[in-house]
Amino acid sequence: MMEYHGKRLRLRLEGESHSPEMRVTIWGLPAGEPVDEETLRNLLARRRPGRSALTTARNEKDEPEFLSGVRDGALTGEPVVIRFANEDRRPEDYAAIRTIPRPGHADYPQYLQGGAIPSGGGALGGRMTLPLCAAGALALGMLKKKNITVAGRLLSVGGVRDIPLPVRPPKERLEALAEKKLPVWSEGLIPRMEEEILAAKAAGDSLGGVIECVALGLPGGLGHPRFEGVTNRLAAALFAIPGVKGVEFGDGFAGAAQRGSEQNDPFILADGSIQTETNHAGGLLGGITTGMPLVLRLAMKPTPSIAREQRSVDLQTMRPVSLCIGGRHDPCIAVRAVPAAEAVTALVLLDLLLEADEGNE
């Protein structure tokens, strides 16, 4: 069981990659809000496996079943419980490595804690992003009503990198990213990214990538200093996505190589409001929103399940072994992690907004 505790929202994930079902329970969603069914289904479809050669061949319907908290298409104020069936389970794929930790996976730490290696990563497997996305999709629908857009893109895959976004990216173009085969700003890069991913797959290997997520329409002054900053709360939640190895805001680590005269964003008057001419800070100063677009990035590691021979140790015999991981796996987990990044970002932002609304009452 895994939980997220926000200030107004609470989330519980239950299940495993190869358990019969998975569930998510969400507390704190306001009563009377309609469920944006279209946003929910579109986000789950983008995360769904088995859609192309770029993803795992596991074939799941990923059909959400609301068990409570929704009546006649609207939230009741009670905890929302959503169930998903795992119909295409193949735990037998892991029978030969029950006592052999896979390099790059959390098998060994889980063995140290519980004395066993669960199939497919168990509760830490990437499949658990499905209920996480369902909860985030509800948040995305509510943010849309507030005219707030959250959209993600593949900034880079392997050695192929997309161009930088404009300081104020058009809302329509951000929303259109979700309709592309790969969510990139420069559509001409899609064939090159596909080629990189498929080449790694053909070699029995995998690729990492960088996801960039943008939020438009956030009010300035959202968040608190120090440990309760927007940056703090987002980073803590985003690391719940399997495979995330780094989170940065604005220019992030690249800004560390520049001078203050290059990194500082000059304040200007535009359309009768105070804005910044550039957005190196990513819409955040001191962990508090400035009103500029919020920009964050996630570094996703290469999928650790690869078909190439790797070294490990049999924990039962305590002897060195070699293994090649079979089964069905994504050659680049960053592709299907984009909607997960949007979902988690939306959850945290909604929690911050609900907290601010309550404070203004």
Side-chain angles (χ1 to χ4, degrees):
M1 185 184 300
M2 299 162 286
E3 294 195 355
Y4 161 76
H5 290 263
K7 297 298 180 180
R8 297 296 174 268
L9 298 179
R10 184 159 68 93
L11 190 75
R12 176 187 294 164
L13 302 177
E14 299 174 272
E16 296 186 359
S17 181
H18 290 275
S19 61
E21 66 175 35
M22 304 176 298
R23 296 188 183 199
V24 60
T25 304
I26 313 113
W27 290 266
L29 292 173
E33 289 286 339
V35 173
D36 188 336
E37 190 80 17
E38 182 181 6
T39 294
L40 171 64
R41 293 192 176 277
N42 285 347
L43 191 78
L44 297 185
R46 290 165 56 207
R47 199 222 69 94
R48 185 173 173 268
R51 295 181 296 115
S52 74
L54 301 179
T55 67
T56 172
R58 182 169 178 170
N59 188 14
E60 297 281 2
K61 295 177 183 176
D62 290 351
E63 185 70 26
E65 179 184 358
F66 285 88
L67 302 182
S68 68
V70 176
R71 187 183 302 117
D72 298 327
L75 301 172
T76 65
E78 296 298 312
V80 176
V81 181
I82 308 175
R83 174 188 178 272
F84 292 93
N86 283 330
E87 299 177 326
D88 192 20
R89 296 176 291 145
R90 284 192 355 201
E92 63 274 10
D93 286 347
Y94 301 89
I97 54 173
R98 291 290 187 197
T99 59
I100 303 173
R102 298 166 297 171
H105 280 280
D107 293 349
Y108 184 58
Q110 289 189 94
Y111 176 83
L112 293 176
Q113 288 189 340
I117 297 176
S119 297
L124 298 183
R127 177 117 182 102
M128 291 303 294
T129 58
L130 173 59
L132 185 60
C133 279
L138 298 184
L140 279 168
M142 293 178 64
L143 291 178
K144 283 183 179 180
K145 289 186 62 179
K146 298 176 181 289
N147 202 30
I148 294 171
T149 300
V150 177
R153 67 159 174 165
L154 273 178
L155 177 60
S156 69
V157 168
V160 182
R161 188 178 181 89
D162 205 353
I163 64 172
L165 292 178
V167 173
R168 297 170 186 81
K171 175 182 175 180
E172 295 74 19
R173 281 201 66 181
L174 283 175
E175 292 175 337
L177 290 169
E179 301 170 8
K180 298 181 179 182
K181 189 174 183 181
L182 289 177
V184 297
W185 196 257
S186 304
E187 200 156 351
L189 292 177
I190 292 178
R192 290 178 56 194
M193 286 189 175
E194 288 181 312
E195 185 179 345
E196 288 254 335
I197 295 171
L198 294 175
K201 181 180 180 179
D205 218 326
S206 63
L207 280 178
V210 175
I211 296 169
E212 186 171 64
C213 200
V214 179
L216 299 181
L218 287 174
L222 192 65
H224 308 281
R226 305 297 180 186
F227 303 106
E228 295 300 326
V230 177
T231 47
N232 305 62
R233 288 162 70 166
L234 277 169
L238 288 163
F239 274 110
I241 301 173
V244 173
K245 301 299 287 184
V247 177
E248 67 176 15
F249 297 88
D251 285 357
F253 284 96
Q258 295 182 332
R259 295 187 174 186
S261 56
E262 299 172 289
Q263 266 293 293
N264 291 345
D265 298 311
F267 288 101
I268 59 172
L269 280 171
D271 301 323
S273 65
I274 295 178
Q275 301 180 17
T276 57
E277 191 172 27
T278 53
N279 194 24
H280 300 297
L284 294 160
L285 292 170
I288 302 171
T289 59
T290 65
M292 293 293 290
L294 187 153
V295 181
L296 62 88
R297 298 182 196 88
L298 307 181
M300 304 294 301
K301 71 177 183 180
T303 312
S305 291
I306 57 176
R308 299 184 66 168
E309 187 175 282
Q310 300 179 86
R311 291 179 296 153
S312 188
V313 174
D314 190 317
L315 302 176
Q316 189 172 52
T317 65
M318 295 304 289
R319 292 180 178 176
V321 295
S322 295
L323 78 159
C324 293
I325 300 172
R328 304 160 296 176
H329 308 286
D330 290 85
C332 178
I333 55 177
V335 173
R336 289 199 299 131
V338 173
E342 295 173 12
V344 173
T345 300
L347 277 168
V348 176
L349 294 180
L350 179 61
D351 185 53
L352 283 155
L353 289 164
L354 290 174
E355 181 189 9
D357 289 343
E358 187 172 284
N360 292 330
E361 291 179 353

